[in-house]
Amino acid sequence: MKIFMDTADVAEIKEFADLGIVYGVTTNPSLIAKTGRPQAEVIPEIAKLVEGPVSAEVISVECSGMVAEARELSKISSNVVVKIPCIAEGLKAVKLLSAEGIRTNVTLVFSLSQALLAARAGADYVSPFIGRLDYIGENGVKLVEDMVKVFRQYSLPTEIIAASIRGIDHVNDVMLAGADIATIPTKVLRQMFLHQLTDAGLKKFLEDYAASQK
Ligand code: E4P
């Protein structure tokens, strides 16, 4: 499973890109708004920091507007992937963009049937939102498990990006489910490094080393 960062914060992305563990980034209008800067300024900076896909979302809700926005976004850098909402107009746009060689990530996916439609429209990536499903009493991880099964069964090439991740348990669960990618918020990514036994073990090794030098 590849690791993407789910943020538009350039400083945070740089910090983790320097560690060599982050392959791609996903953004959305809410994450861009948090930076206080325009998308047109932020996305080119992010696209330079990571080698893999950087998702930038359209804000049009009809096909022609989405396609026009997507063409502009895709000019920013070869690693920009256009995020399109999972609505009928969006899937129509995905089909057209796919024919033009513009890569898409279908977002706001909450059901297996939506995932199949996105894949059949020609989406390169599809993003099931785990945390938001859990919040309404459904099982987000189960959706990822089902999608992995169906995509394998029908040899669909669309990659699954597990999104709306809330904690390490989600990361572990979607990893075990076989998601191609998890897009992880910075807070959760920081937690993934930590284990109390690592800290305790390191402390003891350093103490023993210091004692052996006396
Ligand atoms: C993914 O691409 C989305 O940006 C993200 O995961 C949204 O999730 P959230 O707003 O529920 O955290």
Side-chain angles (χ1 to χ4, degrees), residues 43 47 52-56 73-74 76-82 102-103:
I43 295 295
V54 174
S55 289
L73 288 168
S74 69
I76 294 174
S77 168
S78 59
N79 61 342
V80 168
V81 167
V82 182
I102 294 176
R103 290 188 295 160

Side-chain angles (χ1 to χ4, degrees), residues 6 26-28 31 83 105 107 127 129 132 163-166 183:
D6 197 21
T26 53
T27 69
N28 62 40
L31 293 171
K83 227 174 176 188
N105 170 6
T107 188
S127 294
F129 276 37
R132 293 194 196 188
S164 187
I165 298 266
R166 297 287 179 257
T183 188

Side-chain angles (χ1 to χ4, degrees), residues 90-142:
L91 298 188
K92 197 160 56 160
V94 167
K95 189 96 205 157
L96 294 170
L97 293 167
S98 158
E100 290 183 25
I102 294 176
R103 290 188 295 160
T104 56
N105 170 6
V106 173
T107 188
L108 292 167
V109 167
F110 294 97
S111 72
L112 197 53
S113 56
Q114 287 181 317
L116 178 69
L117 294 177
R120 287 299 182 203
D124 297 273
Y125 303 92
V126 64
S127 294
F129 276 37
I130 313 305
R132 293 194 196 188
L133 272 174
D134 289 358
Y135 188 71
I136 60 159
E138 293 194 24
N139 186 338
V141 170
K142 171 78 167 44

Side-chain angles (χ1 to χ4, degrees), residues 165-200:
I165 298 266
R166 297 287 179 257
I168 291 182
D169 285 350
H170 274 162
V171 177
N172 292 340
D173 289 346
V174 299
M175 193 181 340
L176 289 167
D180 301 287
I181 296 149
T183 188
I184 305 174
T186 310
K187 191 176 147 209
V188 177
L189 198 50
R190 284 193 202 291
Q191 290 166 1
M192 286 170 66
F193 285 84
L194 307 176
H195 197 285
Q196 55 175 344
L197 293 181
T198 305
D199 295 340

Side-chain angles (χ1 to χ4, degrees), residues 46-69:
I46 298 175
K48 285 196 191 105
L49 291 175
V50 293
E51 180 194 339
V54 174
S55 289
E57 191 157 339
V58 297
I59 43 121
S60 300
V61 290
E62 82 304 323
C63 177
S64 59
M66 290 186 204
V67 169
E69 277 188 67

